Amino acid sequence: MTANPPEPTPPNRDLWDARALAHGTTANDRFYDVDAFLSGRQTLYRTERELAGDVAGRDLLHLQCHFGMDTLNWARLGATVTGVDFSPNAVARARDLAERAGLAADFVEADTQALPASLYGRFDIVVATYGVLCWIRDLGAWMRGAAGALRPGGRLVLVDVHPLYQVFASREPLVADWPYGGGEEQRELSTTTYADPDVAMEPHEAVEYPYSLGEVVTAAVDAGLAIESLAELVEAELDPRGLLPEPVDGLYRFPLGETQLPFLYALAARRPEA
């Protein structure tokens, strides 16, 4: 009797397994200060908090939760939280972090393009933030999963890197080297991490997929979601790619001549009641 062939490893899982072990372990990490988190630091930004509204007493699903810092901060705001990530190392660290922080949370190892049926129809809010959809090969499957996890009347909150910002490799000089949308895979060898670019890591192939804002909105509508709002942000509390000038007032901006380009977008969409 021939055994079933093993499931193929999802693209990028080895990369994110390695990053899950590295993040939050170096002194110059730009995003993951574990000690500060354990001391009570709120890691969520104003954009997603305002878009989600009051989450106290709500069931919240965090997609691509990494090792759980943001997920657990939603719990600190009163939500009943579940985090999903396809990296076993990330899920293991998230569970350990929840225990260390004394916070209740469920963490599920799963691909967000193929959410388990046990998550469907359970949540008031589905959240995904910062560096999300560029890792997704099947945008339609991701949106259908997010919509399916919502109860009728539930909301998707998606805050992500603006596809225009993704186009640029550098700001000074202004160099564009990335497609604006289309979803065609872009492969490169990654030897470092956005959290601490000075840390050398074992080489891993990174596979990313560029999506235009129109493609994201269309995928949400095709999944049965009703768009409530879409904001293109020219000011925000973080620079996810580290290309923007240091802020003088706490807000990053992407200057170009006499104007400013959007570098994040914030989408809210609702699953209809009927």
Side-chain angles (χ1 to χ4, degrees):
M1 182 175 181
T2 303
N4 292 329
E7 290 293 322
T9 300
N12 300 307
R13 193 173 70 183
D14 289 344
L15 170 72
W16 282 98
D17 266 345
R19 288 180 171 179
L21 295 180
H23 289 170
T25 65
T26 63
N28 295 322
D29 195 301
R30 297 175 59 230
F31 295 107
Y32 307 106
D33 187 334
V34 174
D35 289 338
F37 163 79
L38 291 172
S39 297
R41 175 177 174 263
Q42 178 56 253
T43 62
L44 302 173
Y45 294 99
R46 183 177 63 200
T47 300
E48 59 264 31
R49 290 180 65 174
E50 290 181 350
L51 204 59
D54 184 4
V55 300
R58 313 297 296 277
D59 292 315
L60 183 147
L61 177 66
H62 182 192
L63 299 179
Q64 289 157 252
C65 67
H66 201 29
F67 70 96
M69 286 177 61
D70 284 357
T71 317
L72 294 169
N73 267 315
W74 288 113
R76 282 177 171 161
L77 295 176
T80 300
V81 299
T82 299
V84 173
D85 202 278
F86 73 164
S87 161
N89 288 343
V91 169
R93 280 198 69 190
R95 290 170 178 163
D96 176 70
L97 190 63
E99 183 175 354
R100 294 171 66 191
L103 294 166
D106 289 329
F107 289 99
V108 177
E109 182 186 331
D111 190 330
T112 54
Q113 297 165 101
L115 292 179
S118 59
L119 297 178
Y120 272 58
R122 285 180 44 192
F123 298 94
D124 303 301
I125 304 170
V126 171
V127 173
T129 54
Y130 307 111
V132 179
L133 296 183
C134 64
W135 302 104
I136 299 303
R137 178 184 57 80
D138 190 338
L139 179 61
W142 189 95
M143 281 292 182
R144 289 190 297 273
L150 290 167
R151 296 184 174 115
R155 298 173 69 242
L156 168 66
V157 170
L158 171 64
V159 184
D160 209 351
V161 180
H162 198 288
L164 181 61
Y165 188 31
Q166 289 282 76
V167 163
F168 296 108
S170 64
R171 189 181 63 85
E172 290 184 344
L174 194 67
V175 175
D177 71 344
W178 194 259
Y180 186 91
E184 295 296 324
E185 67 178 38
Q186 311 293 311
R187 293 178 177 264
E188 65 177 4
L189 195 65
S190 175
T191 57
T192 185
T193 173
Y194 63 93
D196 190 345
D198 294 328
V199 173
M201 300 183 66
E202 290 294 321
H204 290 91
E205 186 175 48
V207 186
E208 296 183 66
Y209 307 87
Y211 296 109
S212 69
L213 208 53
E215 288 167 329
V216 173
V217 171
T218 298
V221 172
D222 287 347
L225 295 170
I227 306 299
E228 291 189 328
S229 65
L230 174 64
E232 298 175 89
L233 306 182
V234 297
E235 297 179 340
E237 297 169 277
L238 81 160
D239 171 15
R241 298 185 60 213
L243 299 185
L244 304 182
E246 286 297 317
V248 296
D249 59 357
L251 295 176
Y252 288 92
R253 297 172 179 86
F254 189 172
L256 183 65
E258 298 299 315
T259 190
Q260 296 169 5
L261 298 181
F263 60 97
L264 295 173
Y265 68 89
L267 172 71
R270 187 176 297 275
R271 179 178 174 180
E273 292 282 358

